[in-house]
Amino acid sequence: MHKSFTQTWKGAVLAALGLTLLGGASAQAQQINGAGATFPAPLYLKWFQEYKNATGAQVNYQAIGSGGGIKNITAHAVDFGASDAPMNAAEMAAAPGILHIPTVAGAVVVAYNVPGVGPGIHLTPAIIADIFLGKITKWNDSQITRLSPGIKFPSTSIFPVHRSDGSGTTNIFTTYLSEVSSEWGGADGPKSGKSVRWPNGLGGKGNAGVAQLIKQNEGGIGYIELSYAVTNVISYAAIRNAKGKFIYPSVNNTSDAAEGVTLPADFRKVITNTSSVTGYPITGFTFLLVYKNGTRPEVKKLLQWCLTTGQAGAAAQQYAPLPPSVKRRALAAVASMR
Amino acid sequence: MSTTLSSPPNLLAKSTGNVAGRKLKNIVMLTLCIIAAGLAILVLGLVLYFLLSKGFSSLHIRLFTQLPDNIDTSKGGMAQSIFGTLVLLGVSSAIGLPFGILGGIYQIEARGRFASLVRFFTDVLNGIPSIVIGIFAYAAVVFPLAQRTHGQGFSAYAGGFALGILMIPTVMRTTEEILRLVPFPLREASLGLGATRWRTMWSVVLPAARGGIITGVMLALARIAGETAPLLFTIFGNQLFATHKVAGVSVPTLTAPIDALPLRIYNYSQDVDPNHNAQAWAGAVVLITLILVLSIAARFATRGNMQEEK
């Protein structure tokens, strides 16, 4: 009994030691690790799986939200971050040398779950703001029904859903609402940002969490990326743009909105409320965040792949590829990495 | 004298008079006990029932052999999560067990004021919520590592560190309790034969307490296997296997982000994708089976020990 006991423990200790040493022997992990936005996550996950099949390079992307992406790249805990909200001045100061590389543009759709009502109800910016401010509370409110005369609305209560985590999707949506609603953007309004003080409603984790809450709750309304609405068969609204046209979001009118804008040298801009007649008003570029200096060369290769080969597959996943001029500038920015 | 003699029969007489009431009390209390025990089993039964009814249909061999498929989510599995949980159990044991077991031995053998201080602080440690340990592990391991080597930090080490800390109180307490049960004459006999304290502990006391210590270890493992909160801050998650080759053999990369079953279940359960929801249920079945196996193994370890002692 003594021997077997001693041997058991010796074995366990040796095994533990061996495991520890073997793990420690790897000076450099081979995988590329990235974290951030859930907005482009469906596309990124497919891209990185294709990239692995094509090149053998392993990319591990965790969709934890844009806020988490910015935090982790600032702490150098990941190889790249991802955000659809450009970093603000304070965040830029905390991460000197950070680059914003736009990858695709996407549309934030106003998705809803109203019993008996199909896709494509018409909404104006003012109504969306009033719904999320809690001023319109029933689906058969005359302000809503008036815009979609062909549709019979039930008296179901409106159940607004927003994000619980720091989110670039929230930033795009609230930037838009601040632009179109003086009450939203005013001194007492929620204003814009990755997380804001929501007057009412329930929070979900990530785009997927919001989509799930909309699906589960009759009367639910929330904002998610187009891809999530299409894949999960959730109805979404046509929204009146700055030129007075009701636009039902698609890849094409996301492109129309994206092509009309001039991005600053560092790409940090949200492109809401487009002046394009055919453009959808709530759109944004999504960015990969990398350091100009000291980023692993494998990451640079990955970025180049995303900006070239990857672009072709974007539309099938409901994302708009970069306009040619933006793509050229993005590639130049990647080339400048050392 | 006569009064003292007569008092016991008096007591007896009093109680016999109340026998109906006592019987009633007995029946009421017994019924309450049975109901309480039944409820406890019912809750466990309901949990298992819900898990199996929701998760069993999604339990597929793919779950154990495939990585998540991001192009067709219905095809993927969570092999890397199961693998990750096993690796994490190994790493946390390597980190937590030495402290737990040696600490338990110390408390029995040293018995000084410092030993009781250690016991007090271990009990306090036991009460610290696991998420706080997770934040601590982030600040103590993940962040400093990331500053040293950019892009690193989230790792199996960091997760094992957090889970290892969570193991220490359980293991230390059970080790101490079980060593206390080893009869002192055994040690005295060993010391009397001229064995050193070290030899006595290694060859007499520890072998006698083996089953109990293993039980403590298994219970600690069962506890940490289901922990999610500390992992949120430390292991990051991974859709792929984190391995590298050493002399042609694939071994786990402990310095890379790793996945774990509880984390995968947490993420998939909040997902809108019904395939992921189904896989979360199936993952929960796998996790609870793993924990059940650990608990049953703990029972067997104790039973084996008792038989040996006979």
Side-chain angles (χ1 to χ4, degrees):
Chain A
M1 188 169 93
H2 294 184
K3 244 183 198 155
S4 75
F5 174 78
T6 321
Q7 278 166 355
T8 316
W9 282 108
K10 265 188 192 158
V13 169
L14 279 179
L17 220 83
L19 198 69
T20 316
L21 288 178
L22 287 179
S26 76
Q28 182 87 58
Q30 295 151 336
Q31 276 179 8
I32 300 171
N33 292 298
T38 62
F39 176 97
L43 175 65
Y44 284 179
L45 289 175
K46 289 185 174 79
W47 266 1
F48 299 153
Q49 193 161 322
E50 283 169 23
Y51 188 68
K52 183 184 155 204
N53 293 340
T55 65
Q58 299 195 333
V59 185
N60 173 32
Y61 183 72
Q62 296 293 318
I64 57 172
S66 297
I70 291 172
K71 268 206 183 100
N72 276 307
I73 191 66
T74 304
H76 289 281
V78 287
D79 296 307
F80 66 86
S83 174
D84 356 283
M87 290 165 73
N88 60 34
E91 288 164 345
M92 292 292 283
I98 198 91
L99 292 179
H100 288 62
I101 309 292
T103 50
V104 286
V108 177
V109 306
V110 177
Y112 52 85
N113 169 9
V114 188
V117 176
I121 63 170
H122 286 195
L123 293 176
T124 62
I127 290 176
I128 298 171
D130 281 351
I131 286 175
F132 281 90
L133 283 169
K135 292 165 100 183
I136 299 179
T137 58
K138 294 280 178 198
W139 275 106
N140 63 355
D141 190 296
S142 62
Q143 295 177 77
I144 298 176
T145 54
R146 199 175 53 212
L147 291 168
S148 310
I151 296 171
K152 191 170 159 34
F153 285 90
S155 60
T156 316
S157 291
I158 295 181
F159 179 80
V161 182
H162 53 79
R163 286 282 288 276
S164 59
D165 48 342
S167 153
T169 314
T170 301
N171 184 59
I172 293 173
F173 188 64
T174 52
T175 302
Y176 173 68
L177 289 182
S178 300
E179 278 177 73
V180 295
S181 156
S182 53
E183 187 175 350
W184 193 279
D188 297 327
K191 294 191 272 291
S192 65
K194 288 190 290 292
S195 39
V196 300
R197 206 177 297 244
W198 293 97
N200 64 348
L202 200 66
K205 177 178 164 280
N207 264 285
V210 172
Q212 195 185 29
L213 279 176
I214 299 171
K215 257 191 143 168
Q216 281 171 353
N217 293 284
E218 275 192 4
I221 185 167
Y223 54 94
I224 46 179
E225 212 287 329
L226 176 61
S227 169
Y228 287 88
V230 172
T231 327
N232 300 295
V233 204
I234 305 174
S235 300
Y236 47 96
I239 293 171
R240 195 166 73 193
N241 69 9
K243 298 286 182 208
K245 295 262 186 287
F246 282 94
I247 304 289
Y248 189 61
S250 71
V251 174
N252 282 340
N253 50 44
T254 304
S255 286
D256 291 344
E259 268 154 21
V261 290
T262 330
L263 291 178
D266 61 1
F267 302 105
R268 292 193 299 135
K269 190 173 176 165
V270 180
I271 53 168
T272 49
N273 210 21
T274 175
S275 54
S276 155
V277 180
T278 51
Y280 179 70
I282 323 177
T283 56
F285 285 109
T286 186
F287 309 96
L288 289 181
L289 308 170
V290 285
Y291 287 99
K292 190 174 162 114
N293 297 315
T295 298
R296 288 161 58 194
E298 299 96 300
V299 178
K300 189 172 171 179
K301 266 190 207 137
L302 171 72
L303 290 182
Q304 278 161 343
W305 185 92
C306 293
L307 291 173
T308 52
T309 317
Q311 293 294 310
Q317 300 301 327
Q318 315 296 334
Y319 295 86
L322 294 177
S325 63
V326 178
K327 178 177 153 182
R328 238 187 343 267
R329 287 175 48 200
L331 277 169
V334 171
S336 78
M337 287 166 62
R338 278 164 304 193
Chain B
M1 196 68 190
S2 62
T3 43
T4 44
L5 263 179
S6 62
S7 51
N10 270 354
L11 268 176
L12 204 69
K14 222 178 180 180
S15 49
T16 37
N18 264 345
V19 81
R22 288 176 65 180
K23 269 193 173 162
L24 184 71
K25 243 190 232 169
N26 184 36
I27 290 170
V28 169
M29 290 314 288
L30 188 66
T31 320
L32 286 178
C33 286
I34 289 173
I35 291 175
L39 277 178
I41 294 175
L42 182 74
V43 170
L44 179 67
L46 279 177
V47 169
L48 286 178
Y49 170 75
F50 271 107
L51 266 183
L52 286 175
S53 67
K54 295 242 186 191
F56 197 75
S57 55
S58 318
L59 212 52
H60 193 280
I61 187 75
R62 268 198 314 264
L63 215 63
F64 302 90
T65 58
Q66 299 285 308
L67 294 173
D69 191 321
N70 299 320
I71 291 167
D72 180 356
T73 52
S74 71
K75 281 191 185 147
M78 45 175 74
Q80 91 289 12
S81 315
I82 298 168
F83 164 81
T85 287
L86 296 178
V87 170
L88 279 173
L89 289 180
V91 177
S92 33
S93 297
I95 293 172
L97 290 191
F99 290 100
I101 295 177
L102 293 177
I105 294 174
Y106 176 77
Q107 284 176 23
I108 277 292
E109 292 296 308
R111 288 161 186 256
R113 183 183 292 177
F114 185 66
S116 45
L117 206 66
V118 170
R119 183 178 306 125
F120 173 72
F121 280 114
T122 318
D123 287 347
V124 173
L125 184 63
N126 200 20
I128 294 177
S130 58
I131 192 148
V132 176
I133 304 286
I135 296 171
F136 168 66
Y138 180 86
V141 180
V142 177
F143 191 76
L145 275 182
Q147 301 318 300
R148 210 196 54 175
T149 315
H150 288 174
Q152 286 196 15
F154 291 114
S155 56
Y157 277 133
F161 176 75
L163 295 179
I165 292 176
L166 287 172
M167 283 179 85
I168 292 175
T170 317
V171 174
M172 206 183 271
R173 256 309 164 111
T174 42
T175 305
E176 189 204 340
E177 297 296 333
I178 222 74
L179 290 182
R180 203 185 291 283
L181 290 179
V182 176
F184 272 80
L186 269 182
R187 301 168 210 235
E188 284 158 9
S190 170
L191 292 169
L193 285 170
T196 56
R197 282 182 85 182
W198 153 256
R199 175 53 72 186
T200 302
M201 177 53 65
W202 186 253
S203 302
V204 176
V205 181
L206 279 182
R210 180 179 63 167
I213 294 175
I214 293 177
T215 305
V217 171
M218 293 292 180
L219 289 178
L221 284 174
R223 183 200 161 182
I224 61 159
E227 280 289 349
T228 318
L231 303 182
L232 289 171
F233 291 94
T234 50
I235 64 169
F236 188 63
N238 205 327
Q239 289 114 344
L240 306 155
F241 281 118
T243 56
H244 65 282
K245 300 243 172 181
V246 172
V249 186
S250 277
V251 293
T253 310
L254 302 185
T255 51
I258 195 167
D259 218 71
L261 270 172
L263 191 67
R264 183 73 25 191
I265 294 167
Y266 170 69
N267 285 331
Y268 276 4
S269 63
Q270 307 223 346
D271 203 328
V272 64
D273 186 335
N275 293 324
H276 281 166
N277 296 158
Q279 283 163 16
W281 282 108
V285 173
V286 176
L287 180 62
I288 212 147
T289 311
L290 180 74
I291 291 172
L292 225 59
V293 166
L294 284 174
S295 306
I296 292 171
R299 292 300 295 267
F300 270 99
T302 348
R303 213 179 63 175
N305 190 47
M306 288 183 172
Q307 278 167 350
E308 271 179 65
E309 273 173 10
K310 278 176 202 163

